[in-house]
Amino acid sequence: MLVRLLYVSRSVNPESNEATESILSSAREHNHQNGITGVLCYGGGIYLQAIEGGRNQVNALYSVIVKDPRHTDVVMLDYEEISERRFGGWTMGQVRLDKLNPSIVLKYSETADLDPYSVSGVVSFALLEELMATASIIGRA
């Protein structure tokens, strides 16, 4: 059974790109081996991530994510059974929010700064869908 999990967290070192690059690198390696796909949006010290795959694999990965010292304030925004993957093209696609047109984020938020803590999981997922539709997601399979 396929599931999708959406969560938000804060970087413990938002000024450094090393943690984000480390997260992306380890995610791509782990996810490929475990049939997990998804996307990571980051900017302003915030991570917004969607992960998809088998229920057991996604649940196990989320347990690791919650304990990961590279970020804090991990909050699950949405978890659902799905009939098909939405981010199947990426072992971990990425979006740098500082490279986006601010109007895309503003469409789903009170301000042009991403704050998934203040919106629903449905709204956060809608933002991810828009980013995919506008070819804002980069990365490799």
Side-chain angles (χ1 to χ4, degrees):
M1 169 173 301
L2 290 173
V3 299
R4 179 181 306 115
L5 185 148
L6 183 64
Y7 79 89
V8 62
S9 64
R10 296 184 197 283
S11 173
V12 296
N13 191 2
E15 295 81 32
S16 170
N17 286 332
E18 287 182 36
T20 302
E21 291 303 319
S22 173
I23 289 169
L24 285 165
S25 176
S26 60
R28 288 179 176 137
E29 182 177 326
H30 173 270
N31 293 356
H32 179 72
Q33 296 170 356
N34 292 282
I36 293 175
T37 57
V39 63
L40 175 69
C41 296
Y42 56 95
I46 299 285
Y47 295 119
L48 173 63
Q49 185 171 30
I51 52 177
E52 303 169 322
R55 182 184 344 203
N56 292 339
Q57 292 83 356
V58 169
N59 291 349
L61 177 57
Y62 186 68
S63 294
V64 171
I65 288 168
V66 169
K67 298 173 191 167
D68 190 324
R70 296 174 290 193
H71 56 164
T72 187
D73 300 332
V74 180
V75 174
M76 185 184 305
L77 299 175
D78 192 42
Y79 183 95
E80 65 180 318
E81 295 176 356
I82 56 175
S83 59
E84 63 183 29
R85 295 172 193 257
R86 200 64 190 107
F87 306 105
W90 301 278
T91 52
M92 189 48 58
Q94 69 186 73
V95 176
R96 284 193 48 189
L97 295 169
D98 60 341
K99 302 292 184 190
L100 289 179
N101 181 333
S103 65
I104 293 176
V105 175
L106 189 58
K107 182 176 177 180
Y108 300 96
S109 180
E110 294 176 10
T111 69
D113 297 321
L114 177 68
D115 184 10
Y117 291 99
S118 67
V119 297
S120 70
V122 171
V123 169
S124 293
F125 185 71
L127 170 63
L128 294 178
E129 291 264 285
E130 173 111 3
L131 295 174
M132 190 167 63
T134 58
S136 298
I137 300 173
I138 60 172
R140 59 183 185 276

